[in-house]
Amino acid sequence: MIKAIKGTKDLLPDDVKNWKYLEHNVRNIFRDFNYKEIRTPIFEETLLFERSIGEATDIVGKEMYTFTDRGGTSLTLKPEMTASVVRAFIEHSLGNLQSLNKLFYISPMFRQERPQAGRLRQFHQFGAEALGSASPFLDAEMIQIAFHILKSWDLMILLLK
């Protein structure tokens, strides 16, 4: 019998219902703060992560799923999202369209590490990037967004105990 690869998890129908609820809340909160959703490919050229994360880091050195395609290009399954968002921002000249770009994402990520309790090789992550301003108000806004997301999930109760 073939089973799911160790460190991965199937999302069964009841799980999907819960995921959709959480994703719906996240999307609504980001939209309330004028963030727009961005979706990037599930893999990128390896060089993108080597440059952005740093070749000497554990992620690049030990944890990335990297392979060479038939054309000889080294590709990597996304271990994080910031590099992909910045690549898309630059490639598509989003900064020329407006000075401040507030982008959010919900995406699967991949890390090739030995699975431990609570850690998966394929995991889902959401986050946001505000590009085009160095204002500390954007940092405060991110904290406020995180608060609203946790509150919407009733997780603040656990944090405040």
Side-chain angles (χ1 to χ4, degrees):
M1 172 189 225
I2 298 175
K3 294 183 179 184
I5 296 170
K6 188 174 181 179
T8 65
K9 181 180 179 185
D10 294 315
L11 295 178
L12 302 176
D14 285 344
D15 300 324
V16 171
K17 181 180 79 171
N18 293 333
W19 275 92
K20 283 187 173 194
Y21 172 77
L22 296 174
E23 289 172 357
H24 176 77
N25 282 345
V26 167
R27 282 187 174 91
N28 285 340
I29 291 167
F30 277 123
R31 286 185 188 127
D32 287 347
F33 284 86
N34 296 313
Y35 281 73
K36 295 179 179 170
E37 187 169 4
I38 187 168
R39 295 183 185 185
T40 62
I42 206 154
F43 55 86
E44 299 271 5
E45 284 194 43
T46 302
L47 188 58
L48 176 69
F49 300 113
E50 289 175 347
R51 284 184 179 172
S52 65
I53 300 172
E55 289 184 55
T57 64
D58 279 351
I59 293 173
V60 171
K62 301 176 187 174
E63 298 177 3
M64 293 195 321
Y65 278 101
T66 299
F67 58 96
T68 303
D69 71 3
R70 291 180 184 170
T73 304
S74 180
L75 302 175
T76 296
L77 297 176
K78 288 189 294 199
E80 58 91 32
M81 192 66 178
T82 300
S84 296
V85 170
V86 173
R87 190 239 348 117
F89 173 82
I90 293 168
E91 181 178 344
H92 300 286
S93 304
L94 295 180
N96 293 339
L97 300 175
Q98 58 191 44
S99 58
L100 176 60
N101 286 264
K102 294 166 47 169
L103 306 168
F104 79 93
Y105 50 84
I106 301 172
S107 181
M109 315 276 175
F110 304 87
R111 299 262 176 100
Q112 186 173 347
E113 56 186 340
R114 191 169 4 140
Q116 302 171 19
R119 291 182 142 186
L120 298 172
R121 290 179 173 178
Q122 178 183 338
F123 57 97
H124 295 78
Q125 184 172 311
F126 67 86
E129 309 293 338
L131 304 167
S133 173
S135 172
F137 291 114
L138 289 171
D139 294 331
E141 182 177 74
M142 287 290 187
I143 294 168
Q144 191 175 15
I145 289 169
F147 176 83
H148 283 282
I149 289 170
L150 292 172
K151 186 177 174 189
S152 78
W153 294 347
D154 292 328
L155 294 178
M156 288 306 296
I157 296 168
L158 298 172
L159 294 175
L160 297 173
K161 284 187 177 183

